[in-house]
Amino acid sequence: IKAVDNYAAYDMLRKGDLDFAIIKCRRDNMPDFDYTEIEDERLYAVISRKRSGHGANIMNLTDLGNYPLLTGEKESHFYIEMEKLYSENNIPFNVSFMNTSETSLMQDMVRDDVGIILATESTARSLEDSEIAALPIEPRQDLVTLIIYPNKKKLRGAYLAFRNYVIDAYKRASISDSILME
């Protein structure tokens, strides 16, 4: 098991170094591998409540260009996915780099109104508090979680069992998370 960026996973699958990868992508940008969809989540903007207009219940897609975006490295999969989303919708791509995986630092930056984060609904809602709002983006934008594997690979035996195990475990975790949130 390796934790790598989507693009590295694609290369490793093509070379035969990986049998499976779990990725997130926009529905408009599905990979050229065989896959099984695990989950489909709405894209949210995570924004400081200090920001004027924060009382809104949604974030208009076209308004995203008004906010600096906190994101990963320029070559990362998520950066490229969001750059395409902005470009396809003629939105200025106003980026403030955030090259860390420290969630608390990112939350502090949002609280201090340094920028916004784009995240799936479950992640965005987990960050919401008295200083941070999670707003669904309209029109609806989705990120799909997939388990991908090389094309034409017949999933039998251990491969099929592994894929099914991952899907079942993911669903059990999602059910547990939703029960905890209620």
Side-chain angles (χ1 to χ4, degrees):
I1 296 176
K2 298 178 186 254
V4 297
D5 185 72
N6 281 9
Y7 293 123
Y10 294 156
D11 288 341
M12 293 172 82
L13 278 169
R14 281 190 184 93
K15 291 177 187 173
D17 295 336
L18 290 179
D19 294 311
F20 295 95
I22 298 171
I23 65 161
K24 287 191 183 292
C25 63
R26 290 184 311 124
R27 194 163 289 285
D28 310 8
N29 199 23
M30 300 295 263
D32 60 345
F33 289 96
D34 286 342
Y35 59 85
T36 302
E37 188 172 317
I38 299 175
E39 187 173 33
D40 185 356
E41 283 191 273
R42 190 172 191 169
L43 188 63
Y44 270 61
V46 179
I47 185 169
S48 170
R49 292 188 190 273
K50 293 177 188 175
R51 180 66 76 158
S52 61
H54 72 277
N57 294 328
I58 63 159
M59 169 71 73
N60 287 312
L61 179 64
T62 55
D63 291 338
L64 290 177
N66 298 331
Y67 305 96
L69 178 62
L70 300 173
T71 187
E73 295 177 13
K74 197 170 186 175
E75 294 81 28
S76 72
H77 176 76
F78 189 77
Y79 179 97
I80 293 169
E81 282 283 326
M82 293 306 104
E83 186 177 41
K84 286 179 184 176
L85 173 68
Y86 279 61
S87 176
E88 290 165 0
N89 291 283
N90 298 314
I91 301 167
F93 195 49
N94 182 8
V95 174
S96 174
F97 284 103
M98 179 62 205
N99 291 319
T100 182
S101 59
E102 289 187 41
T103 308
S104 60
L105 179 58
M106 292 180 79
Q107 287 173 283
D108 289 343
M109 292 178 80
V110 170
R111 279 187 188 93
D112 292 340
D113 200 22
V114 172
I116 66 170
I117 300 170
L118 298 181
T120 59
E121 180 177 2
S122 58
T123 300
R125 290 198 180 275
S126 73
L127 299 174
E128 201 168 29
D129 62 21
S130 62
E131 299 177 82
I132 295 175
L135 305 176
I137 295 174
E138 286 291 339
R140 184 183 176 114
Q141 304 295 312
D142 290 321
L143 285 178
V144 185
T145 304
L146 308 170
I147 183 166
I148 63 173
Y149 36 92
N151 294 340
K152 301 176 187 162
K153 183 171 194 154
K154 296 283 184 190
L155 294 182
R156 289 189 220 116
Y159 290 102
L160 183 59
F162 178 79
R163 187 206 63 183
N164 292 342
Y165 176 80
V166 169
I167 293 167
D168 290 344
Y170 198 96
K171 288 179 181 174
R172 281 193 308 275
S174 293
I175 290 168
S176 296
D177 289 347
S178 65
I179 290 170
L180 289 174
M181 291 174 72
E182 292 172 0

